[in-house]
Amino acid sequence: LLPPATALALSAPSVVQQRKRALLSSVATLKLSPSVAARDAVLAAVADLEACSMTSAPPDGRWALIFSTQAELPDASRPRASSPVQGLIDATYAAFFKVAPALAGAQQDGRSGASNEQALSLDTGVVENRVRIPLPFLPSILEIRVDGRVAEAGAAETEPLLDVTFTECSFALQRGGARSSGGALRIPLPSPVGTLRTTHCDDEVRVSRGGRGGVFVLKRLRAAAT
């Protein structure tokens, strides 16, 4: 634990704002010039912001994923797979990060052109993820939706912990902004369960760490002015 004076200094609004701006700047640099060094700079900026231990807003709302990666080994405190199905899900999730970052929600740089939005509500217990991926050589966008349930699981000291259970995945093609006439292909999921630890959250930025080692940086989406 940090000495009280150090912890108080790190939680000062000016320090939090400075480190948040540094994180957003490092993400922008990564998107412009992807490299291992730039990725490591983002992770260092994430750690600096997390050291402020500042969560001033709930994770509810609409968010845009601006960076994520599989940066560490799975959380040792997370229970081991309770069934062969959950073990297979865990293995598949890890494989997605290696071979298909956009499908796993990973946006390690700006080269893919994919966008990822999340809507989360603790009041209704619903989480919705939507990934849009431009298809090469086709005037189409592949939209992937992963829906599920979310609930508070407690807190690790000052860091809120969420249980997330995904229930359905769907795939659809969009052309010219309209969904294709064939509709979406919906695939029920065998209730894969995960955890999400919110290490920073305010009115603008959220940083979360998944139980499988994922690091996620999201920017809050504001409602359009009417």
Side-chain angles (χ1 to χ4, degrees):
L1 295 177
L2 294 173
T6 302
L8 182 62
L10 287 176
S11 63
S14 60
V15 175
V16 174
Q17 287 297 321
Q18 180 183 24
R19 295 190 175 191
K20 186 168 63 174
R21 298 273 79 78
L23 172 57
L24 295 176
S25 177
S26 65
V27 170
T29 298
L30 174 65
K31 290 182 179 294
L32 288 174
S33 302
S35 68
V36 173
R39 172 185 172 275
D40 290 346
V42 173
L43 293 175
V46 165
D48 285 345
L49 183 58
E50 289 176 326
C52 296
S53 299
M54 178 60 65
T55 299
S56 59
D60 300 68
R62 293 179 59 246
W63 300 88
L65 182 71
I66 60 174
F67 171 83
S68 72
T69 189
Q70 190 80 357
E72 57 187 27
L73 294 175
D75 189 346
S77 65
R78 180 175 176 268
R80 293 182 179 273
S82 58
S83 70
V85 172
Q86 183 66 45
L88 178 60
I89 291 166
D90 290 352
T92 302
Y93 187 93
F96 273 175
F97 266 101
K98 293 180 180 178
V99 302
L103 297 184
Q107 304 210 124
Q108 301 183 60
D109 55 51
R111 290 175 293 188
S112 68
S115 66
N116 189 318
E117 294 183 10
Q118 180 186 87
L120 188 154
S121 172
L122 292 177
D123 288 337
T124 61
V126 173
V127 59
E128 301 172 344
N129 293 282
R130 182 174 67 177
V131 182
R132 289 182 169 182
I133 306 172
L135 298 179
F137 312 115
L138 290 175
S140 302
I141 293 176
L142 175 63
E143 181 181 273
I144 305 170
R145 293 181 61 108
V146 182
D147 299 331
R149 303 186 300 270
V150 62
E152 292 181 292
E157 298 180 354
T158 61
E159 298 173 351
L161 189 66
L162 304 177
D163 279 338
V164 182
T165 304
F166 294 113
T167 57
E168 183 180 80
C169 180
S170 66
F171 301 82
L173 283 177
Q174 290 187 343
R175 293 186 177 89
R179 181 169 292 185
S180 63
S181 58
L185 172 64
R186 300 185 181 276
I187 303 174
L189 298 176
S191 298
V193 179
T195 59
L196 199 64
R197 179 165 49 95
T198 302
T199 57
H200 176 88
C201 188
D202 59 23
D203 289 336
E204 184 182 9
V205 171
R206 187 178 110 215
V207 178
S208 297
R209 290 183 179 265
R212 297 179 178 89
V215 177
F216 307 91
V217 180
L218 306 96
K219 284 193 68 175
R220 192 182 294 275
L221 295 173
R222 304 294 181 183
T226 57

